[in-house]
Amino acid sequence: MLAGKRILLIIGGGVAAFKSLDLIRRLRERGAEVTPVLTRAAEEFVTPLSVAALAARKVHRDLFDLTDEAEMGHIELSRAADLLVVAPATANLMGKMAAGLADDLASTLLMATDKRVLLAPAMNVRMWQHPATQRNLATLRGDGVRFAGPVDGAMACGEFGPGRLAEVPEILEAIAAALGEGPLAGRHVVVTSGPTHEPIDPVRYIANRSSGIQGTALARALAGLGARVTFVTGPATVPPPEGVQVIQVETARQMLEAVQGALPADAAVCAAAVGDWRAEAEAAQKIKKAGAVPQLALVENPDILASVARMEDGRPRLVIGFAAETENVTENARAKLARKGCDWIVANDVSASTGVMGGTENAVTLLTREGEETWPRVAKEEVGRRLAARIAVALA
Ligand code: CTP
């Protein structure tokens, strides 16, 4: 899937640098050409010889190597690639990039390039959480730099938390997405996610327990397969994924408007827990406690899923809804499939005892017009990946 793609791989200095060797192997297995660059610090962790052997290419190491400059200058090196990948990206490298410093070969290549840049950071938890690193992360994101990880886990330094290098398959997925490769390349998918907040007055609102984790996982997986994803999200508790277009909304009506504005699309997946009702009138001022207990009159919100599924013109080829149920899950979901006019329903039991709402795992049944299949309880990330893979097959 990466056949003929030229990856300039910058290996930063960190314990995780050894994983870059496996990354090189996997990239080459997929047909990519890998040109490796080692920072001075990286040479303390992996040898130039092993990197060169795995890449079957010369390793670039020094900015002032005259032979290199005569054969291929650093400007050309950074532009001959289709994508620049930094793995592991250290706090120091991120800091240099954010500040615009170019004092060695790696940082100079990163400044001289006109190609996309993907960072896979790896560092100690405290370094990752340090305000300076988080500031640099925000700056780099704003500059269009993409990120794979870091992930939570045990570290070589004995601490636990975010800062671990993403696993190689995840970095490969991010590379494919950054290159616009994958089975969903060229496809546009709209995903709704998270809860909605329906205002009662300037300080109060009606909400629900949705975290947005499942919708976020699905959007991430779709982007990982190369789709262009428009991610319309209510106020979720998790940040949106990398590499998608994010539209933040609060209310069901804003969500509907954002979805309509994002169409046309090849597929629409409504994973949001949309508030079914809103206050008939939003009070302009905070409702005061003195006086009678307010009687809240509710009116129904628009049904986003049904309105997309029933579009006469320009309906996405595949319209998928979720069914959040607390009893008779499959029967209720099957009825919902018919009522909403969508193609598939992903049914899940959101009873408090399942811990699904707000939790990290999900057990779903996928209902289509042809039949149904129940998937085992797995991480919501995995549900997202499986669903994205099914969508890719359906849109092929
Ligand atoms: N949905 C939507 N707009 C709404 C309500 C729901 O797009 N106003 C979508 C959800 O994103 C989900 C599907 O419809 O994909 C089903 O949502 P769910 O809350 O399970 O069902 P409801 O339609 O609200 O029905 P009920 O509350 O009776 O179960």
Side-chain angles (χ1 to χ4, degrees), residues 30-69:
R30 285 162 178 73
E33 287 172 21
V34 183
T35 302
V37 175
L38 278 175
T39 65
R40 284 234 189 282
E43 291 187 24
E44 303 290 333
F45 296 94
V46 286
T47 71
L49 199 57
S50 45
V51 173
L54 282 168
R57 275 177 174 247
K58 176 184 163 65
V59 178
H60 297 268
R61 299 160 64 187
D62 199 336
L63 183 55
F64 301 108
D65 181 330
L66 290 179
T67 330
D68 262 13
E69 282 298 318

Side-chain angles (χ1 to χ4, degrees), residues 192-194 252 255 269-277 300-307 320-325 332 336 339-340 342 345-346 348:
T192 72
S193 181
M255 190 172 271
V269 189
C270 294
V274 184
D276 287 327
W277 308 282
E300 200 169 325
N301 266 330
D303 191 313
I304 301 160
L305 174 63
S307 72
I320 304 171
F322 274 67
E325 306 292 346
N332 281 343
K336 220 167 253 181
R339 196 167 70 239
K340 306 256 186 180
C342 56
I345 282 270
V346 184
N348 51 7

Side-chain angles (χ1 to χ4, degrees), residues 80-92:
D82 295 306
L83 179 73
L84 270 65
V85 178
V86 188
T90 59
N92 183 51

Side-chain angles (χ1 to χ4, degrees), residues 180-239:
E181 294 289 306
L184 285 172
R187 306 274 184 228
H188 179 210
V189 185
V190 177
V191 177
T192 72
S193 181
T196 61
H197 285 182
E198 307 295 336
I200 296 170
D201 68 16
V203 298
R204 303 181 179 94
Y205 55 80
I206 304 169
N208 60 65
R209 295 183 198 278
S210 166
S211 59
I213 295 175
Q214 186 61 82
T216 302
L218 173 64
R220 180 181 293 115
L222 289 164
L225 296 182
R228 176 165 76 84
V229 178
T230 306
F231 185 64
V232 182
T233 177
T237 59
V238 289

